[in-house]
Amino acid sequence: KNPDKLKIGDTIGKELLIDYKNPQPVVFVSFYPEEADDYEKLKKSLQKLRLNDSALQFEPDYNEMLGRGFKTGFLGKFHFEITTERLDREFKIKTVQSFPSVAYQVKKDNKIFIVTNAQQIPLDYDSIAEPIIKAAIITPAAYLGKILQLKDFFRVFSVETKIFGERMIVEFVMPLADFFANFDDQLKSVSEGFASFSYEQIGYQKSDLVKLEILIANEVMPGLSRIVAKERAETVGRQVVEKLKELLPRQQFVQALQASANGRIVARENIPALKKDVTGYLYGGDRTRKMKLWKKQQRGKKRLKEIGRVDIPADVYRKLI
């Protein structure tokens, strides 16, 4: 009656397997149903998937813009892609996913705890360590140069190349978070699909990371916060605010879009206020009448700017992701 009592694949016996370890998720993505009424259907679908996938872990989650959903843990990107496809094909559920996140080790007051969400990072901490993978690419020699150029866009370390018959093997180390930042898509593109990729997680490494926050009208939007490398904070922040400028509807007041990292604004865009012709009904007469109406309009927009609040529509959030 309660499938959470046992894990499919467990064997009941007299002796325990000493060296057995439960699979631990390394990638975390939140799923939200496109239709809010499908929340219970999504919950039952995930429960059914876990009947033959004991590595799948999920717990209730809430997003200010998308409503109720489930924070789900996966063993890797392939595991995540399979689960997403099964939800669509087998259960006919359309979902919106959050930005993928990995499990970071945050050290504070000589204590280490795991953080999977940018909002969980304390204001003051000693250090952050991120999961590191050892990867290998097998590729035709003709694509080697373009593949090596990927290290200009991703944090790739300890690169070694070896000859493997008529092909080349490229071995390197990189953060798991960078792999999820479309590394495999870029690899397919530069190699025209001829390169194969494999990786394994080898541990954690201290890195210079920051919490990137997005502010709209001076208000932090928690659902858009992310953990990024310090050297990429400005680039990522600029991409987000420029995209928001395209997607957000205009208001009666100027909307300031800002990206903040470590308390410093790294990118900013403004959405201009809607224009309303408050003097359109006036015809002729003294210009001072128009000046009074324009000044009154300016004061109103100034008040709106101070108290105005912007809510990101769900469809804008989906397009942004």
Side-chain angles (χ1 to χ4, degrees):
K1 292 182 179 181
N2 186 358
D4 294 333
K5 293 292 184 180
L6 290 173
K7 289 184 178 180
I8 303 302
D10 282 355
T11 301
I12 300 176
K14 295 181 179 180
E15 298 180 3
L16 293 175
L17 298 176
I18 299 175
D19 294 331
Y20 174 76
K21 295 181 180 179
N22 289 321
Q24 296 298 319
V26 296
V27 180
F28 300 86
V29 181
S30 290
F31 284 76
Y32 305 94
E34 284 192 357
E35 301 294 335
D37 295 339
D38 288 340
Y39 173 79
E40 289 297 330
K41 184 179 178 181
L42 176 60
K43 179 180 179 180
K44 292 181 180 178
S45 299
L46 289 171
Q47 289 174 338
K48 291 178 180 179
L49 283 179
R50 192 162 57 182
L51 286 175
N52 56 16
D53 184 2
S54 60
L56 182 65
Q57 299 185 17
F58 63 91
E59 60 184 33
D61 193 17
Y62 180 79
N63 183 281
E64 295 81 359
M65 289 156 277
L66 298 178
R68 296 188 301 168
F70 294 93
K71 179 181 176 182
T72 312
F74 302 97
L75 301 180
K77 188 169 186 178
F78 190 50
H79 189 200
F80 158 66
E81 290 173 349
I82 290 175
T83 303
T84 305
E85 193 70 18
R86 291 187 67 185
L87 284 173
D88 184 16
R89 290 188 180 185
E90 299 179 22
F91 301 99
K92 310 301 180 185
I93 295 182
K94 299 293 183 181
T95 59
V96 179
Q97 297 93 40
S98 66
F99 295 111
S101 177
V102 298
Y104 297 91
Q105 288 184 349
V106 178
K107 184 177 181 182
K108 180 181 179 181
D109 300 331
N110 294 322
K111 295 181 180 179
I112 296 177
F113 52 96
I114 300 296
V115 167
T116 59
N117 189 307
Q119 295 303 309
Q120 298 172 341
I121 295 183
L123 293 176
D124 52 338
Y125 55 86
D126 300 328
S127 63
I128 300 181
E130 62 181 336
I132 300 296
I133 62 173
K134 183 177 181 180
I137 298 173
I138 300 178
T139 177
Y143 302 104
L144 180 62
K146 292 183 178 179
I147 290 175
L148 291 178
Q149 290 178 1
L150 290 177
K151 64 182 180 182
D152 296 333
F153 306 97
F154 300 92
R155 292 177 294 160
V156 176
F157 319 106
S158 306
V159 180
E160 295 183 2
T161 59
K162 300 176 182 178
I163 299 176
F164 183 64
E166 298 180 353
R167 297 176 178 269
M168 300 292 294
I169 298 180
V170 184
E171 295 181 341
F172 55 92
V173 174
M174 73 182 301
L176 182 60
D178 274 38
F179 169 60
F180 279 94
N182 291 328
F183 179 83
D184 54 340
D185 291 336
Q186 293 294 325
L187 176 62
K188 291 175 185 176
S189 177
V190 299
S191 67
E192 299 179 10
F194 284 98
S196 60
F197 181 84
S198 64
Y199 73 94
E200 62 176 339
Q201 187 174 340
I202 58 175
Y204 281 80
Q205 174 179 294
K206 289 184 180 179
S207 301
D208 197 0
L209 305 172
V210 296
K211 179 169 70 172
L212 181 68
E213 295 182 317
I214 304 300
L215 295 82
I216 302 179
N218 298 318
E219 183 177 355
V220 176
M221 297 292 151
L224 299 179
S225 298
R226 300 164 67 181
I227 302 173
V228 299
K230 186 176 181 179
E231 64 267 23
R232 297 199 70 241
E234 183 175 347
T235 301
V236 177
R238 187 163 301 281
Q239 290 174 348
V240 175
V241 295
E242 288 178 353
K243 192 67 176 177
L244 277 173
K245 185 177 180 180
E246 296 177 10
L247 297 174
L248 281 178
R250 294 170 68 179
Q251 304 288 342
Q252 293 290 340
F253 57 93
V254 176
Q255 299 175 75
L257 310 177
Q258 298 171 307
S260 172
N262 280 350
R264 184 174 68 91
I265 303 300
V266 296
R268 176 185 174 120
E269 291 285 346
N270 282 339
I271 300 178
L274 284 171
K275 292 183 179 180
K276 182 180 179 181
D277 188 4
V278 294
T279 61
Y281 66 93
L282 295 178
Y283 181 77
D286 190 353
R287 181 177 172 82
T288 56
R289 294 181 63 196
K290 293 184 178 181
M291 293 295 296
K292 288 180 181 179
L293 289 174
W294 286 331
K295 289 182 179 180
K296 181 179 180 181
Q297 184 185 41
Q298 289 177 355
R299 291 194 298 269
K301 287 188 175 183
K302 186 176 180 180
R303 286 196 302 271
L304 275 176
K305 186 177 179 180
E306 294 175 353
I307 65 174
R309 185 179 187 277
V310 179
D311 293 321
I312 300 182
D315 60 332
V316 170
Y317 188 77
R318 294 188 189 103
K319 293 176 182 178
L320 184 66
I321 293 178

